[in-house]
Amino acid sequence: MKTEIWKKHPYIEKLEVSTLGRVRTLDRVVPCRGNRTQFVKGRVLKQRDNGIGYLQTSFRMNRKLVTKSVHRLVSETFISNPDNLPQVNHKNCDRGDNRVSNLEWCDESYN
């Protein structure tokens, strides 16, 4: 079993992504009524199939529900993309396998 490493997503402040393809929110303090604040514990987000095999997760950002593909979040967090390639390929063709070792940036013709 490989060690799971968590890292903050580069564009989405409140998310961490793991090398094994999991996504979690961070612990945070949120304002409540008056001058009070409330501690909210981070949690691992549920993932669901989008109907064609890709896993997605949803979370709130700026009071709106946002849904993102897990393979995209993992790639943006762990894999550099110096050529600005637009797509992410699953090397073993398993769309549910979102481990870093199974993902690579590519173009449409390769994918």
Side-chain angles (χ1 to χ4, degrees), residues 15-73:
L15 287 187
E16 280 188 332
V17 182
S18 89
T19 52
L20 300 182
R22 297 194 308 155
V23 182
R24 70 182 177 191
T25 58
L26 298 174
D27 293 347
R28 61 198 183 282
V29 177
V30 296
C32 293
R33 291 184 181 150
N35 291 331
R36 298 181 331 156
T37 59
Q38 178 181 359
F39 175 78
V40 177
K41 180 126 176 83
R43 64 183 177 88
V44 174
L45 299 175
K46 293 179 182 178
Q47 298 181 14
R48 66 186 174 290
D49 188 303
N50 71 348
I52 56 173
Y54 293 104
L55 295 177
Q56 295 180 325
T57 192
S58 297
F59 53 92
R60 293 217 172 264
M61 196 163 74
N62 299 327
R63 298 185 182 187
K64 293 182 181 178
L65 188 64
V66 176
T67 300
K68 297 281 185 183
S69 296
V70 174
H71 66 282
R72 191 102 188 154
L73 293 171

